[in-house]
Amino acid sequence: MNGAKQPLKSLDDALTQLLGYAEPLTGVEQVSTFAADGRVLMCDVVSALQVPPHDNSSMDGYAVRCADLADLKQPLPVSQRIAAGSAGSALAPMSVARIFTGAPMPAGADAVVMQEDCVVQPDGQVLVQVAPQPGQWLRRAGEDILLGAKILSKGERLTPASLGLAASIGMNQLSVARCPRVALFSSGDELVMPGDVPAEQMQPGALYNSNRFFLRALLQRMGCEVSDLGIVPDRFEATVAALQDAAQQHDLILTSGGVSVGEEDHIKPAVQSLGQLDLWQIAMKPGKPFAYGRVADAHFIGLPGNPVSSFVTFLLLVRPFLLRLQGVFDVAPKFIAVNTHFTMARADKRREFLRAKRNAAGGLDVFANQSSGVLTSAVWGDGLVDNPAGCTIAAGDSVRFIPFSELLA
Ligand code: AMP
Ligand code: MG
């Protein structure tokens, strides 16, 4: 299909359609909690205990019964010593218990006095100097996690904090979605691999393959198992064979280049001969041309060749697609509102994703050259300004900003 006369598709429509194809992968993997960072949970995690398991002290000091301290001038004997990891006994009346952070409260005690507010007398008795409030310096049993509480949900992407939370209820293994297996190809006769030809010997028209480097790194950050198949040979039969082979063992075949309108390219006819290919023209800048197709049971996604277009379409379309394959429901990147410190006097017909950077004054600066071939903009920037079609930007305007930290995690 030649997309020359196709109407532009909105990014939201393109994403909705793409996510509609992203049937979550079947198969569950049991992994050590240590190894589960960034993986997606395949079942809810419900707690069989409460955390903390018992009321405990949040200070080094003395566990007391507040009613025993009506007269602050009267020192009280220390009837027991309770360190973290040991359990005390009921607090004897008119006495205090030496207690340390994390140690369980003895029965009968209703507050902790920090040691800085006490004076130990020569005979070892303790004079409390500040009247305690019932409940002070206590951590209540179950204040973090109640018995039976759902602490993590199916479809949630695990973070370092969630691994700690799972460990806090004793989970040393977690059920997660398997990693998407992705075959990565580059297309374009002009492409040369760094290392193959020294810079001074590059032929006119030749270009180092930069997309391969950031696409592989992006896929790895998304938890994919990547087969990097390099630059596919520039022959129809060889391309068909490579695609057929890749489709057997991969969930997704990802390529860059060769999806522009009207371009003669060997990947396009090869995908079309094996399965189906839709060429989309998306109303976004950078990143207008985009392809989705299927080869046997594998998904096929063709990204534009221009490096920034490839980078941005990966972040805004492929990333959510890969998350959905792993069972994540909420895949939309979160934006923040930031005030610009720049002006964009010329409105574009397409929704633009400008490479921008937060400055020390809390505002946003924009990279001067927003060309889709200028990869420097993506390194200089720390996120994308999502500027609606037809909109200019004046200094001080509040814009939608999606930090790369949100998109690269
Ligand atoms: P295409 O989408 O194939 O028309 O390519 C658009 C532009 O991106 C051309 O200037 C290509 O040379 C360039 N390009 C395509 N693939 C890559 C790549 N892997 N690395 C760097 N530039 C590329
Ligand atoms: Mg090309």
Side-chain angles (χ1 to χ4, degrees):
M1 188 204 324
N2 187 321
K5 297 198 175 65
Q6 255 179 274
L8 295 190
K9 197 189 265 301
S10 76
L11 176 60
D12 290 344
D13 286 352
L15 183 59
T16 303
Q17 192 174 342
L18 193 63
L19 292 178
Y21 299 133
E23 195 63 35
L25 302 173
T26 52
V28 178
E29 211 180 303
Q30 287 287 120
V31 296
S32 153
T33 303
F34 277 123
D37 185 28
R39 304 293 294 269
V40 179
L41 263 183
M42 287 296 273
C43 54
D44 293 343
V45 177
V46 174
S47 183
L49 46 85
Q50 58 179 357
V51 180
H54 34 63
D55 289 357
N56 66 92
S57 174
S58 63
M59 281 289 165
D60 290 339
Y62 297 88
V64 302
R65 195 182 271 109
C66 293
D68 293 347
L69 291 163
D71 177 8
L72 281 182
K73 295 201 179 64
Q74 187 191 344
L76 294 175
V78 179
S79 54
Q80 60 179 315
R81 186 177 189 279
I82 316 167
S86 62
S89 49
L91 183 63
M94 291 309 285
S95 77
V96 298
R98 181 75 171 118
I99 197 163
F100 299 91
T101 305
M105 288 292 283
D110 56 7
V112 170
V113 181
M114 64 165 99
Q115 60 194 29
E116 292 81 350
D117 288 340
C118 300
V119 179
V120 181
Q121 307 296 292
D123 65 357
Q125 296 205 66
V126 171
L127 190 65
V128 174
Q129 296 187 298
V130 185
Q133 297 300 311
Q136 78 174 26
W137 304 123
L138 289 191
R139 299 191 284 223
R140 293 293 183 194
E143 75 175 21
D144 186 2
I145 300 171
L146 291 172
L147 181 69
K150 180 163 80 169
I151 59 163
L152 297 168
S153 302
K154 180 174 187 221
E156 197 171 325
R157 195 150 177 241
L158 295 162
T159 64
S162 27
L163 304 190
L165 196 68
S168 78
I169 61 158
M171 309 278 302
N172 69 332
Q173 296 233 313
L174 294 167
S175 300
V176 296
R178 74 172 172 81
C179 298
R181 293 187 287 258
V182 182
L184 179 64
F185 287 60
S186 308
S187 105
D189 283 349
E190 71 279 30
L191 300 177
V192 171
M193 274 306 287
D196 285 357
V197 180
E200 62 279 8
Q201 286 169 27
M202 288 284 276
Q203 298 297 310
L207 197 75
Y208 286 123
N209 185 348
S210 51
N211 296 1
R212 182 176 180 182
F213 287 80
F214 65 72
L215 289 175
R216 196 203 293 193
L218 286 169
L219 287 167
Q220 283 165 342
R221 283 203 180 196
M222 295 305 303
C224 299
E225 287 170 15
V226 185
S227 307
D228 187 339
L229 304 178
I231 301 167
V232 232
D234 189 19
R235 282 177 290 114
F236 179 76
E237 288 73 21
T239 307
V240 167
L243 285 167
Q244 258 171 335
D245 199 35
Q248 304 283 314
Q249 302 132 30
H250 297 94
D251 304 301
L252 168 66
I253 301 170
L254 183 70
T255 67
S256 74
V259 291
S260 309
V261 177
E263 174 160 340
E264 282 310 310
D265 168 84
H266 49 280
I267 287 192
K268 263 195 306 199
V271 173
Q272 277 157 340
S273 78
L274 290 170
Q276 70 201 65
L277 185 71
D278 277 346
L279 293 173
W280 297 348
Q281 298 300 311
I282 304 179
M284 66 186 287
K285 191 179 172 185
K288 187 162 100 177
F290 186 90
Y292 175 82
R294 288 193 75 95
V295 179
D297 286 337
H299 300 278
F300 173 89
I301 290 180
L303 300 177
N306 274 310
V308 188
S309 307
S310 218
F311 185 72
V312 170
T313 47
F314 183 98
L315 296 180
L316 298 178
L317 290 158
V318 181
R319 179 182 184 275
F321 182 83
L322 289 169
L323 288 173
R324 185 58 63 81
L325 281 188
Q326 295 175 78
V328 179
F329 184 74
D330 186 11
V331 295
K334 310 234 174 3
F335 66 87
I336 50 177
V338 186
N339 286 72
T340 61
H341 284 178
F342 66 85
T343 304
M344 192 61 67
R346 186 191 48 79
D348 201 278
K349 287 205 285 286
R350 286 181 270 158
R351 180 172 169 185
E352 272 192 288
F353 290 92
L354 305 165
R355 277 74 68 212
K357 178 157 79 173
R358 280 167 291 189
N359 59 35
L364 269 181
D365 297 323
V366 76
F367 195 72
N369 188 341
Q370 293 286 328
S371 159
S372 59
V374 175
L375 198 51
T376 306
S377 66
V379 175
W380 179 92
D382 65 2
L384 300 171
V385 169
D386 176 2
N387 191 35
C391 288
T392 56
I393 298 173
D397 281 356
S398 174
V399 293
R400 284 157 57 110
F401 180 66
I402 314 171
F404 284 146
S405 55
E406 170 79 20
L407 295 166
L408 298 179

